[in-house]
Amino acid sequence: MKSKSKTNIFDTLKERGYIKQVVFEDDLYKRLGSESMPFYVGFDPTADSLHIGHYIPIMVMAHMQRAGHKPIALIGGATALIGDPSGRTDMRTIMTKETVQSNGEAFVVQMKRFLSFEGKYGAKLVDNSAWLGKLNYLNFLRDVGGYFSVNKMLTADCYKQRLEKGLTFLEFNYMLMQAYDFYRLFEKYGCRLQVGGNDQWSNILAGADLIRRKCGEDAFGLTLTLLETSDGKKMGKTQKGALWLDANKTTPNEFYQYFRNVEDAKVAECLKLLTFLPLDQINEITRYNDQRINEAKKRLAYEVTKLVHGEAAAVAAQNEAAAAFGGSSSDMEAHKISLTKDATVIDLLCECKFAVTKSEARRLIEGGGIRIDDKVVVTVGDTIGQYASGAEFVLSKGKKNRIKVAL
């Protein structure tokens, strides 16, 4: 991770198109340019994987961390038991504590591809059940409830759209709980900034207002651009449903192909929001309005897949796409690995993400589906050197999955 940047991160976020709305923009700008600011993003663990809708907030966390600001990833272990009404027309399914905890642990594994949890600006993981799970209801009403106007709350978009179908008192408490999260993070970690999707605007305002009224201190909020298609629909829907960051729910190849096929008009925006490529490089590779934009799409698909699934998976997906469209092994980019020729083919399959477990690797070999160059691997215990004549070779799984490997 880079040390604290001299460039104000607000400028970077604005130039790349992340920022939608800001609470007290001028004051926030000054603070971000003069101090290291702890900030937080909340994640309600309502599924066992993050999806593409979480990608932009995580990228903002990574950009801010690289500029010397400290991220706090707040897992909503308590709020997920209630459900956020924002952006919903129906009530979320209430989850068990065990499911919420398991989902939160899965989130952390995925976040570590983007964030460092070590060092001076290392990200901190916090679960709001640490305080919300221990609240005395009467004390909460007395200490927090008095700062909220029901009339004002009902004007918030997250509640207005639910009134016709019915808004439960359970959901009505969500805004107070999220505001209380912000207050507790401010008290314990000096967190003055909450970052979230634009559908969280009302909740973020409520938290910043609670801190100012209860503590007499400045607090800020920043909402982010949604990833949308040209006709205004949320990007990230596939035939199978959501575009997940878990390889078992959306494979790296499916992930790669999704971004390889984005519409031409959205390529530059996606590169700015979803990769760390410098803006001048993005502008250079997206300046064409003809078939050359396809090279930018390939770069987008590769960079995003590499961030989410790792370099090996990105190279494999890139090579499979090239092979599907008539590419040869000489066109492939070699993926460098740390194994030697004495390593087993099973280890090779796991290293290159062609198999998640050694048991799966054994089944692939036993089924005759693995080749090194043009030689079928026939025995489970065989080594790489029994098939590869040189330090570089093509590893194939089935007819389409191919990757060039360099030992």
Side-chain angles (χ1 to χ4, degrees), residues 155-287:
T155 64
D157 289 338
C158 62
Y159 291 137
K160 283 195 299 183
Q161 64 187 4
R162 290 294 313 282
L163 288 177
E164 290 185 9
K165 289 195 173 184
L167 176 69
T168 69
F169 186 70
L170 186 69
E171 296 170 287
F172 194 64
N173 277 269
Y174 193 93
M175 181 182 288
L176 277 71
M177 296 173 71
Q178 184 167 326
Y180 189 69
D181 284 344
F182 198 172
Y183 163 71
R184 286 301 299 263
L185 292 173
F186 168 77
E187 280 207 316
K188 189 167 184 178
Y189 303 109
C191 177
R192 291 181 181 270
L193 171 64
Q194 181 181 358
V195 177
N198 204 46
D199 59 348
Q200 294 295 314
W201 179 244
S202 297
N203 293 334
I204 292 173
L205 282 174
D209 186 60
L210 179 63
I211 292 170
R212 286 194 301 273
R213 297 179 66 188
K214 194 171 176 63
C215 306
E217 296 280 353
D218 292 333
F220 308 95
L222 189 154
T223 64
L224 306 174
T225 301
L226 289 174
L227 197 61
E228 296 179 331
T229 61
S230 293
D231 56 3
K233 296 179 181 178
K234 280 188 180 181
M235 197 180 291
K237 293 292 184 181
T238 70
Q239 290 182 344
K240 294 182 179 180
L243 194 66
W244 299 97
L245 306 194
D246 183 342
N248 294 314
K249 297 170 80 72
T250 301
T251 69
N253 289 338
E254 291 170 332
F255 201 85
Y256 179 95
Q257 284 300 325
Y258 182 90
F259 288 101
R260 172 65 181 84
N261 293 318
V262 298
E263 54 188 313
D264 294 359
K266 304 299 285 188
V267 177
E269 180 184 4
C270 286
L271 282 165
K272 291 174 184 177
L273 295 174
L274 306 179
T275 79
F276 293 108
L277 291 182
L279 289 177
D280 56 352
Q281 189 173 344
I282 293 173
N283 293 334
E284 174 63 26
I285 64 177
T286 59
R287 61 192 176 94

Side-chain angles (χ1 to χ4, degrees), residues 4-5 9 30-39 64-65 67-71 120-122 189-192:
K4 187 173 179 180
S5 171
I9 187 59
K30 291 175 184 177
R31 282 184 177 269
L32 289 175
S34 62
E35 63 186 72
S36 177
M37 180 179 287
F39 68 97
M64 292 187 69
Q65 183 178 54
H69 302 285
K70 188 176 180 66
K120 184 177 180 180
Y121 307 114
Y189 303 109
C191 177
R192 291 181 181 270

